[in-house]
């Protein structure tokens, strides 16, 4: 069983969903992001999704775009992501990296996998790489023992859900709505149906993301998915209240992901 | 001439990508999974439409009665005198309705949009020509139209913003990143991911994910098919070289394609050299870039060591793009086409020359191809025949050009942002005309 599969087996055994928290590496600085990510772990994030800031993030809405911009303007370099992963892992965090494909291509797919694995990273989430184009990454992730999360969407056909799940390892990412990242008031109605469709094709854990920001939403997602993925809301919390902000948000969302026992919000 | 506008669509090319859209190692689909269903649907509808006589007839009718095809071929001997005496022939895409080649692709995709039952069209635009063509087709066919345009470009192509609005389109200035074409494409892709059910993304060049590079090319193949027949009829032989400007690469691939299997015909793409490639301020993607994935396809791009897209720079909004279509990447690697930069200054000099010698005001994009033809002529000599794709007309650029040449009232040439047309430059005959070193600012006041 892979590291991430192991993690989900654990949260499933506890009868709850895992909380997956996103933050870009290098936001607002390299040290600052390590501090924020560590606070997210303290607050209750089971898994971290560390973003690689990229110049053309077409799957991201304004909040994450702005954070990535801040990181790039502060001088973020791609190799910094390994530093961040290493330090967060040393502090007990379990980390995947979410990255658009071109930075990985440019670094060299195998070299990236090698350096990422030796920093203690568990796997990649690749929003603009579909398995059809991923031969190099499939080989590199096998060679370096990394997990790989591809995305499915409400518009995915049964065949594509099947083939995408088959190519994935660790967990499968279901985008709950058609759209880019950004906090929304309601969890889209398409999400439960998509998760159900996924379950017909795979035993992999299924994480649901795009739009979650409150404990109530986390509880709702936890009622049908194995992982609750939260991004923009963490960025906003970091902007407003730094480490304390993301720690508090993680605690609130973690309570939601536990099945909503404490959900009063 | 018996070329039909739909021929490039009806007759599959020998140089099609594989079924997943790969041109060699380039092309493919580097996009979010959420878009795959829409891209598959588009591929299916395109394949069905190209075999459907009703679709082809409708496209032919519009291209003839609305666009005004076939576009003429114009001999420009006075320009040729400045090109080592070579015979230069302009393929007049500037005379199409809406003023550029862009309409060829737009009509095709707009008809497909209707067939797919979608009611809303989005587009990106740099120079505004693709946006204007899209707004035009949407007005004609009753589709809602939203155009994303970088804020920098809305300023330098203000006339086209007004044209789009007159045609009923919504123009959204994009304020992220470099605020040019690259960022307009990002925003269009975000819109598409969100609204894909009812929206068609009418991409304006031969870039993006499969099937766009091959499909957009097919809609533009008419340019080269017509031009090839016209040159043969007029000159009695094939040209020695074909020149086009390259932004995303649609007008270039459109004219090149008919000559790919004619080994004696050089295919030369002229890229925006901006301030000169040595300054780093340019958009010469194929000349200076490296392979990578951007905007849905593997191709060449301008990027830094970390794979972050570099900002491009060009006086020409339509060429100011750090990516390029994947088929050009393959043609470059195969050595079948050559790509080389032309600076802002060199393009503007050619712009002025075409205005004064032939009474044709070209788009600044197309002026890069004219500058290229001048170079090719000087290299190949007086027996050479050079076909140039005059991809668009320069109405939209009058303000930029007037500033460049110091023609704005109250602004002297020295204060103006660009070079002035020196009188000596205009009276300069062919005998005085020295071969111009690449990128040199011959005869004009240095900036
Ligand atoms: C007149 C004209 N030529 C060329 C271009 C560049 O596009 P492409 O390289 O796709 O032909 C544009 C784009 O706006 C244009 O308006």
């Amino acid at each position: 069983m892979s590291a991430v599969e192991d993690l989900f087996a654990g949260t499933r055994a506890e009868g709850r969903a895992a909380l997956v928290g996103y933050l870009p590496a290098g936001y607002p600085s390299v040290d600052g992001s390590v501090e924020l990510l560590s606070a997210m772990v303290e607050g209750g994030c089971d898994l971290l999704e560390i973003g690689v800031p990229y110049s053309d993030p077409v799957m991201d809405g304004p909040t994450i775009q702005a954070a990535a911009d801040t990181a790039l303007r502060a001088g973020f370099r791609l190799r910094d992501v390994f530093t961040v992963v290493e330090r967060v892992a040393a502090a007990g965090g379990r980390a995947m990296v979410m990255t658009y494909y071109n930075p990985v291509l440019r670094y060299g797919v195998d070299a990236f996998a090698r350096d990422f694995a030796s920093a203690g990273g568990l796997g990649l989430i690749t929003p603009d790489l579909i398995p059809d184009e991923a031969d190099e990454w499939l080989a590199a992730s096998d060679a370096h023992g990394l997990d790989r999360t591809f995305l499915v969407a409400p518009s995915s056909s049964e065949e594509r859900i099947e083939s995408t799940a088959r190519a994935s390892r660790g967990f499968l990412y279901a985008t709950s709505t058609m759209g880019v990242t950004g906090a929304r008031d309601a969890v889209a109605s398409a999400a439960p149906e998509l998760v159900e469709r996924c379950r017909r094709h795979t035993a992999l854990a299924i994480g649901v993301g795009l739009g979650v920001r409150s404990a109530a939403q986390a509880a709702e997602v936890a009622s049908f998915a194995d992982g609750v993925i939260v991004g923009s809301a963490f960025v906003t919390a970091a902007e407003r209240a730094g480490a304390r902000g993301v720690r508090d948000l993680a605690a609130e969302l973690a309570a939601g992901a536990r099945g909503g026992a404490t959900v009063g919000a | 001439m018996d070329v039909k506008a739909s021929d490039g669509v009806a007759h599959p090319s020998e140089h099609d990508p594989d079924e997943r859209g790969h041109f060699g190692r380039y092309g493919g689909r580097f996009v979010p999974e959420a878009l795959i269903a829409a891209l598959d649907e588009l591929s299916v509808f395109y394949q069905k439409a190209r075999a459907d006589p009703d679709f082809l007839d409708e496209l032919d009718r519009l291209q003839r009665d609305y666009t005004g095809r076939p576009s003429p071929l114009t001999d420009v001997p006075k320009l040729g005198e400045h090109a080592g005496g070579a015979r230069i022939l302009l393929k007049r895409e500037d005379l199409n309705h809406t003023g550029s080649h862009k309409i060829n692709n737009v009509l095709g995709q707009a008809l497909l949009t209707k067939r797919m039952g979608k009611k809303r069209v989005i587009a990106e635009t740099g120079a505004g020509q693709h946006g204007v063509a899209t707004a035009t087709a949407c007005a004609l066919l009753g589709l809602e139209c939203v155009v994303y345009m970088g804020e920098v470009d809305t300023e330098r192509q203000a006339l086209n913003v007004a044209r789009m609005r007159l045609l009923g389109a919504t123009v959204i200035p994009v304020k992220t990143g470099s605020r040019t074409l690259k960022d307009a494409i990002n925003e269009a892709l975000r819109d598409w991911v969100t609204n894909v059910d009812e929206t068609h993304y009418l991409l304006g060049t031969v870039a993006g994910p499969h099937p766009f590079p091959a499909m957009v090319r097919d809609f533009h193949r008419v340019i080269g098919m017509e031009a090839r027949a016209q040159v043969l009829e007029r000159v009695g032989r094939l040209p020695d070289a074909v020149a086009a400007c390259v932004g995303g690469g649609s007008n270039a691939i459109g004219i090149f394609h008919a000559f790919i299997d004619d080994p004696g015909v050089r295919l030369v793409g002229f890229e925006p050299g901006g301030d000169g490639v040595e300054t780093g301020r340019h958009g010469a993607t194929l000349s200076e870039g490296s392979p990578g994935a951007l905007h849905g396809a593997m191709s060449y791009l301008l990027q830094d060591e970390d794979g972050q897209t570099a900002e491009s720079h060009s006086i020409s909004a339509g060429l100011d793009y750090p990516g390029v279509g994947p088929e050009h990447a393959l043609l470059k690697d195969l050595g079948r086409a050559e790509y080389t930069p032309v600076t802002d200054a060199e393009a503007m000099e050619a712009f002025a020359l075409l205005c004064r010698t032939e009474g044709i005001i070209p788009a600044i994009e197309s002026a890069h191809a004219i500058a290229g033809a001048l170079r090719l002529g000087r290299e190949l000599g007086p027996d050479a025949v050079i076909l140039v794709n005059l991809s668009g007309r320069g109405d939209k650029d009058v303000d930029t050009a007037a500033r460049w040449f110091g023609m704005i009232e109250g602004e002297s040439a020295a204060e103006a942002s660009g070079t002035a047309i020196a009188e000596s430059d205009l009276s300069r005959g062919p005998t005085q005309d020295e071969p111009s070193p690449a990128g040199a600012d011959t005869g004009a006041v240095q900036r």
Side-chain angles (χ1 to χ4, degrees), chain B residues 366-443:
Chain B
S366 321
H368 286 69
I370 299 293
L374 293 171
R375 273 197 219 161
L376 284 169
R378 288 162 187 157
E379 180 191 328
L380 298 174
D383 297 332
V385 173
I386 299 164
L387 172 66
V388 184
N389 196 357
L390 195 73
S391 57
R393 64 179 182 232
D395 307 34
K396 67 187 178 62
D397 295 317
V398 165
D399 193 53
T400 304
R403 275 173 207 290
W404 178 274
F405 294 116
M407 290 168 174
I408 304 280
E409 218 45 53
E411 240 183 273
S412 76
E415 289 164 4
S417 61
T419 53
I421 304 181
E423 278 311 313
S424 62
D425 210 37
L426 301 174
S427 55
R428 190 173 59 169
T431 47
Q432 300 160 252
D433 201 26
E434 302 281 291
S436 152
D441 212 352
T442 26

Side-chain angles (χ1 to χ4, degrees), chain A residues 22-27 29-30 33 37 50-53 67-68 71 76 80-81 84:
Chain A
Y22 168 94
L23 198 84
Y27 173 78
S29 64
V30 171
S33 63
L37 287 158
I50 301 177
V52 171
F76 172 84
D80 294 334
V81 80
V84 172

